Amino acid sequence: MDNPTKDPHIVVHAPALDGSRRVTEGDVTLGLASHLDDVVEILRLADLDRVEVEESDLIEWQGGGPEDWPGLPEHDDI
């Protein structure tokens, strides 16, 4: 049985080809982020806004940290 007081384990997945990053909690996809601000908003909408996005041990950053959004510079060429 799940423990409701257990801290969430949030994963910000490695960037896709377009630079977006999937944000999940367990098997549930919370949203798709294109920027750090998107991660903050996704967590807010999931009632996880108490989590410090850039410093929390509750967030696992895969394929780079909170400053890694490789798709962003390509958007300037549009």
Side-chain angles (χ1 to χ4, degrees), residues 19-36:
S20 65
R21 300 175 78 165
R22 193 165 45 102
V23 181
T24 61
E25 180 185 2
D27 294 335
V28 177
T29 298
L30 300 176
L32 193 63
S34 297
H35 190 273
L36 184 61

Side-chain angles (χ1 to χ4, degrees), residues 56-70:
S56 177
D57 291 336
L58 301 177
I59 299 179
E60 176 184 345
W61 292 88
Q62 297 179 345
E67 67 284 341
D68 294 315
W69 300 91

Side-chain angles (χ1 to χ4, degrees), residues 11-78:
V11 177
V12 179
H13 295 267
L17 293 176
D18 66 356
S20 65
R21 300 175 78 165
R22 193 165 45 102
V23 181
T24 61
E25 180 185 2
D27 294 335
V28 177
T29 298
L30 300 176
L32 193 63
S34 297
H35 190 273
L36 184 61
D37 291 340
D38 294 339
V39 176
V40 172
E41 180 64 8
I42 289 166
L43 296 180
R44 185 188 70 78
L45 292 172
D47 291 327
L48 297 169
D49 51 343
R50 70 184 188 283
V51 175
E52 288 292 329
V53 174
E54 295 183 69
E55 300 173 12
S56 177
D57 291 336
L58 301 177
I59 299 179
E60 176 184 345
W61 292 88
Q62 297 179 345
E67 67 284 341
D68 294 315
W69 300 91
L72 289 179
E74 297 168 11
H75 293 292
D76 294 337
D77 296 337
I78 297 175

